[in-house]
Amino acid sequence: MKAKDALRHIDPLRLLALGLLIAPPLALFGLGMLWLWQTGSLYYWLAALLLCGAAGYGLQHWLQRRDRRLLAEASTEPDPDWPPRAEVVWRDVEALAEGLDWQDWPLTEGPRLIELGRLTLERVARHYHPKAEQPLLELTVPHTLLILERACRDLRRDIAEQIPFSHRLTLGDLIRIQRWKGSAEQAFRVYRVGRLVVNPVDALISETWRSLREQGTGVAQAELQGWFLRALVRKIGFYAIDLYSGRLPLTTEDPTAAPSAETRADLARAAATPAPREPLRILVLGRANAGKSSLINALLDRPVAAADTLADTTREFYGYPLVREGLTEALVIDTPGLDGNRVDEATLIDAALAADLILWVSPAHRPDRQAERALLEKLRAAQAARPEHRPPPLLVALSHVDQLRPARDWQPPYDLREPTDQKGANIQSAVAAVASDLAIPLERVVPVVLTDERRYNIDDGLWATILDQQDQAVRTRLLRCLDARRRAENWDLLRRQMIGAGRLLMKLPARFKASQTRQD
């Protein structure tokens, strides 16, 4: 139907002029084919045509795969520093991005792209404000602008680095291409009809090659526009999740650049040197006389914490700087026993929530672990009530393994995977029992001996496990410091806003008086 409509608009004289123009090249083509047939070279020419065409098509296919790979490498990935809740939100953002049809969101229509950004923000906000009728309205104006600013900055970088000649393409080019697209397609259809009338064989060959080219380039164009739309959704979703996870403050300062109030207080109680920046907070918990202070002395390799055979030696929270090769700046904090009367459970849980790594000391020769399990369950419940935070890794130092039966037999090292004697088998059983009683992964329970004369498995076992959990502890510290920075930022902004409003109110009488004078 479209071809008939196009033929009605063709001027016969113009068609004649077109025929006269293309007659010499067509004659040359026909004579050349006749010459090839007469010399017996036609089949060789056709074979060369097919080989070159196949090679060109293969090269084009390879280039397309290379471009796809480059675009895939520029894809936005979730941040490993996000809290657990963010994983569900990111999957929802991914579903939105993958479900887009590029034809529904033209790149030349700005309002449609703004609508797509609003839809992405609303999709993320709904997870964090499920009861709000319009969750998007819960975003503050500065944070909304910050999300768009960061997303556009990343998109600009990705487009400039991944899309060829993007630095020469202007918005005017896009508009002109879109404006002339319909006219160009109509003119091209007229040309194809005319070529079909003049030379059917040549038209058939050209249409075949055109179909092959469209399979290679038409899909690439669709993929490019689809990539841009998916990248836009992912970027906006990424920074929206960053905001709700507490990782997108309005200021750009390092949140760990200064020690927190808790760190300064812990260092002051231990008369230690103030920290230049916020360290990893490693909290040592356990029942009285389990070996907490002895563990700290073993980690620091010097006697700094008061360790005694009497219960409840530690009466306060004391922080000791821990400097060892391979570990970032850290503060190991000694605490009173959880079964003593020096501190209540709520205080211990609050301290654990503010920690980046927890070392739980449990004596191997005391099977009554009900109090330890009860406190751990309360701690886990408190952590589950804060899905926007990342819980710190928890390691168990199983102390006093040298006192397991046979008590007099102590000849380390012991192979706990395949023990060859009764002592090693009992240590292995104690590790499994503690992991089951406290609901801790088996690989996070480390048997140790903390007395100076029998010190065992500190460097090879416990220290290696601490270093293995260091990355997760650093992520926990980042979220903790960002949360503190956000609270301080809110108060600081409010203070500055109140000061600015006060100054404006003080100037109002003078401005009103000046206005009255001008009117008079």
Side-chain angles (χ1 to χ4, degrees), residues 254 256 275-282 300 320-332 356-357 463 466-478 480:
D254 183 3
T256 65
R277 54 181 298 157
E278 179 64 12
L280 287 179
R281 293 178 60 84
I282 302 177
L300 272 65
Y320 303 95
L322 177 59
V323 180
R324 292 193 62 164
E325 184 179 357
L327 182 70
T328 187
E329 59 273 5
L331 181 70
V332 58
D356 307 314
L357 176 67
W463 185 246
I466 291 174
L467 292 180
D468 186 57
Q469 298 297 320
Q470 179 176 200
D471 290 343
Q472 185 176 348
V474 169
R475 296 188 184 109
T476 304
R477 178 184 65 174
L478 177 62
R480 173 176 60 83

Side-chain angles (χ1 to χ4, degrees), residues 28 41 53 80 87 96 129 139 145 171 198 216 295 328 337 369 388 419 422 472 518:
L28 180 62
S41 304
E87 298 175 1
L96 175 62
H129 302 284
L139 271 177
L145 294 175
L171 293 177
V198 175
L295 175 63
T328 187
R369 302 185 183 95
E388 69 280 1
Q422 187 61 40
Q472 185 176 348
R518 286 194 299 268

